[in-house]
Amino acid sequence: VWRLDDGTVLVAWYRAAQLIEPDLARGEGGRILWEYRVEAPNEIPSCQPLADGRVLVGVCGPCELLEIDRDGTVLKRIPLPKPEGSLHAQFRFCRKTPTGTYLVPFLEAGQVKEFDGEGHVIRQFEWAGPAVSAERLSSGNTLIGGGGRVCEFAPDGSVVWDLDAED
């Protein structure tokens, strides 16, 4: 879920990504301004608003990232390697970095992979347990979380700090 500067909310849920204008006066619901849907059995576990007005949408099933404009046109398709396991657990919170690469946490595989714009792996982070989120920080480091653990990695792959449930 993303709350945008104009007060709208971008959300990914099960089979859709939606931009919603919330009804704050009533405190419930709202109006759907934009929507991208997939058919079963495919799922959408991830979305991200991009600076150019596009929306990054992750689609489990075909295992791909899409950059979609506000008219619903798919402008870019980045195929990803399908991990073993269930369709539902292919990946979670994908992010486009400021340099135009893509961070994809592969849930069951216990890996976060960084892809270029063509879908080629350019870096990989091993992760003990389910990888749920990955974010490129302004420092250039990568913050990864999942399975009761959060860790910051330097660009060379070394651990800056690590925090787990025991801590």
Side-chain angles (χ1 to χ4, degrees):
V1 175
W2 301 82
R3 185 154 197 268
L4 307 183
D5 291 339
D6 65 1
T8 59
V9 176
L10 180 66
V11 60
W13 62 274
Y14 197 42
R15 290 201 167 81
Q18 296 175 325
L19 181 65
I20 300 168
E21 179 181 57
D23 185 343
L24 299 178
R26 292 183 352 174
E28 60 183 53
R31 185 169 58 108
I32 297 171
L33 304 175
W34 176 89
E35 179 177 66
Y36 183 81
R37 286 189 167 272
V38 296
E39 297 296 322
N42 299 334
E43 298 179 7
I44 296 179
S46 180
C47 68
Q48 176 188 11
L50 301 178
D52 58 6
R54 296 178 183 190
V55 176
L56 177 68
V57 174
V59 182
C60 289
C63 201
E64 63 186 1
L65 301 177
L66 307 174
E67 287 193 22
I68 304 169
D69 69 14
R70 298 299 172 97
D71 293 327
T73 304
V74 175
L75 301 172
K76 187 170 191 173
R77 185 177 307 270
I78 301 105
L80 304 173
K82 284 187 184 181
E84 291 185 27
S86 73
L87 175 149
H88 176 70
Q90 284 179 345
F91 57 79
R92 283 299 179 266
F93 306 139
C94 306
R95 297 292 177 256
K96 186 172 185 179
T97 71
T99 59
T101 63
Y102 302 87
L103 292 168
V104 180
F106 288 95
L107 193 63
E108 286 183 342
Q111 299 172 328
V112 172
K113 294 182 180 182
E114 186 169 358
F115 296 90
D116 65 15
E118 304 301 315
H120 301 111
V121 177
I122 56 175
R123 186 182 321 186
Q124 181 170 308
F125 301 90
E126 296 302 323
W127 192 253
V132 177
S133 65
E135 182 82 23
R136 182 61 38 83
L137 304 176
S138 59
S139 65
N141 291 350
T142 304
L143 187 66
I144 297 175
R149 180 176 167 225
V150 178
C151 187
E152 183 176 340
F153 292 89
D156 66 3
S158 62
V159 173
V160 176
W161 61 266
D162 192 351
L163 183 69
D164 67 22
E166 299 294 317
D167 297 325

